[in-house]
Amino acid sequence: MADTLLLRGRWVFTGETTLDQGAIAIQDDTIIDVGAWESLRVAYPQAQVLGSDSMAVMPGLINAHHHSNGVPNSLQGIDDDFLELWLFANIGLRSQDSKLKTLLSIAQLLQSGVTSVVDVVSLGGSASDCLDNLNGRLSAYDQSGMRVALTPGIRYESVLVHGEDEAFVASLPERLRQQLQTLVPMEQPLSRADHVELLSELVKQYRSHGHIDVWFGPPGPQWVGDELLVQMADAAERLDTHVQTHALESFYEKLMGPRLYGGKSVIAHLKDLGVLSPRFSIAHGVWLTEADIEILAATGAAVSHNPSSNLRLRAGMAPLTAMLAGGATVGLGMDGTTLGDDEDMFAEMRLAARLQRSPQIGRPAPSYEEIFRVATAGSAKLMGKQQQLGKLAPGYRADVALVDCDRITWPWISPEANPLSVVLMRAKAADVDTVLVNGKVVLKAGMPTGFDLKAVGQTVAEQLEQAPNREQYRALAAELIPHLSRWYSQWDVPPLSPYAVFNSRS
């Protein structure tokens, strides 16, 4: 079996157990065997070998919600803020080539051991503009070999504030209203029907691709409206694909539910619309109630937990422990907005674990094993690929990360130490040596194999240097954001009951 590949490691984390001095055997794009290194070496004597007894072999990590930002907002002068204010401030961002920015983001993900991503894309402009944007991104994933569910969407409503654009604009000074009308389009050139048709054609076009899927990506219920959301869910069912949207990310999205949907929460409203199913996932879910979690568990709809982004945009801390206990499907995402702008999935797993550790004895907190399952099997289930991804087992796709453990275990490690806990506690993206997707090496010695990362970065920098300065847009954002702040500050705030108490005034 000369075409067999063996991946060996000091530890093999299968997703169900840890093998000391283990290995996995791969043929083509599939894992065919898992076991002790010595046994597999005998069974496959002609196989090529990757890895060593200083490596950890693990399932590729799965980023369940992401935006390929390329050069991040922080390097473009856009500071973190409340979600609603930050979203408008982004009109000041310079344009980046869609393929190149996606390659930059892919490199960071691969270097962090991520093999699959749900990449949510914001579209705008004509059908030709949207297609050019998407073709650039799809080309990046095709070239790099990374697995993706590309998830495009367009905002059609609530361009300025949740559900109340007309009233908000009427409250502005005349001069500011005129500036908005000049610089910020409130109508999209691509119709809703043409949007669904464009994405439906892409879903069909990529149906047989080895590592690319196309999903529907309504940015949020308030940004597309009920009718379009139902059309997308119906199309996803018909075309055997998925839908991901943002929901209950910010505190004001929590308040928005009863305000827009007759006193009901956003999740209860989505249930009433009939769109929730195992094909449907939401990103964030920071402000889910216990009743919302019950609905998600009952319908099979999933949540991507994005702890870094939630902290950076002052959204809060999602009730991960309650979601897991309630039986909801939960994956882990980095949202293109990690705490250090590094898209380090190991740091994200640590943050997810640490944020849920209540200070009270007897209160539950997720273990590293549970967090690892969220970032692998949980995210795989969110993607509808729980029988293909998220574990190292025969029949599963050969999506694998090899992590160099020399630095992690230096200067000494106790034989009693839990290997998985040690790796999740100490590993960094810089420790990831090799990554395979579908059995092909897409990262070698920490660098992508499908493209020249240094050249991509240099070209992006040159393009941004020559891009038009969006000074007018930044000035408009600076003037409008105080009005947005005042608008939301007038919303009624109900009594709040936290999932966990971290401090007390008395």
Side-chain angles (χ1 to χ4, degrees), residues 440-453:
K440 296 179 180 178
V441 175
V442 294
L443 187 87
K444 184 177 182 180
M447 293 299 290
T449 61
F451 57 97
D452 185 335
L453 176 57

Side-chain angles (χ1 to χ4, degrees), residues 400-423:
V400 190
L402 277 68
V403 180
D404 189 332
C405 294
D406 281 345
R407 185 199 62 82
I408 297 168
T409 58
W410 188 88
W412 179 81
I413 179 172
S414 162
E416 300 86 52
N418 181 318
L420 180 60
S421 295
V422 168
V423 171

Side-chain angles (χ1 to χ4, degrees), residues 107-170:
Q108 282 192 302
L109 296 179
L110 292 177
Q111 289 171 332
S112 185
V114 173
T115 53
S116 298
V117 62
V118 179
D119 189 356
V120 177
V121 178
S122 296
L123 298 177
S126 66
S128 177
D129 294 333
C130 293
L131 195 55
D132 286 346
N133 185 338
L134 293 173
N135 282 336
R137 295 171 185 273
L138 289 162
S139 175
Y141 283 105
D142 189 52
Q143 180 177 342
S144 68
M146 185 171 192
R147 192 181 303 280
V148 66
L150 196 71
T151 308
I154 298 176
R155 286 202 291 173
Y156 287 97
E157 302 176 11
S158 299
V159 174
L160 300 172
V161 295
H162 300 315
E164 299 173 349
D165 275 357
E166 187 175 343
F168 174 72
V169 171

